[in-house]
Amino acid sequence: KAKSDLLYNEIDNNPLFEGTAAKEDRSIMNVTFVMKNKDLEADFLSYATGVGCSGLKGHRSVGGFRASIYNAMPYESVEHLVNTMKTFAAKHA
């Protein structure tokens, strides 16, 4: 729950991102989100991959991004993704 709260807080407060599920329906294991400016999605995915965030590409029929944060995913990895989102936004917002 702490990991999903951290990530959803960033998605809700970062000007570049938005969640795809209604707040009451959000998963604590698979966090899905998109970019408000679709033109930046490929750039963000490339940037995130380059700094070690892998497996973020969303489902082929839905698009966007999906962060799978199951129990084996360390909290620090979610912090790294959040910091990556903040850094990207600082450069593109």
Side-chain angles (χ1 to χ4, degrees):
K1 179 94 169 78
K3 292 184 288 189
S4 64
D5 286 347
L6 176 67
L7 185 50
Y8 283 124
N9 183 58
E10 182 60 25
I11 291 166
D12 292 341
N13 291 295
N14 189 309
L16 296 185
F17 300 94
E18 62 186 349
T20 58
K23 289 186 179 185
E24 63 273 12
D25 296 328
R26 289 177 165 176
S27 170
I28 61 170
M29 295 293 167
N30 287 298
V31 177
T32 57
F33 57 101
V34 295
M35 298 197 75
K36 293 177 183 176
N37 179 349
K38 304 288 185 212
D39 294 337
L40 291 175
E41 286 190 355
D43 291 341
F44 175 71
L45 184 59
S46 177
Y47 175 73
T49 301
V51 297
C53 298
S54 62
L56 289 176
K57 189 171 182 180
H59 190 275
R60 66 184 173 276
S61 67
V62 179
F65 305 97
R66 181 185 70 192
S68 295
I69 55 174
Y70 290 92
N71 292 338
M73 174 66 67
Y75 186 85
E76 294 77 18
S77 295
V78 178
E79 286 180 314
H80 181 64
L81 174 57
V82 166
N83 289 331
T84 298
M85 294 167 77
K86 287 178 180 181
T87 301
F88 189 84
K91 293 177 181 178
H92 295 91

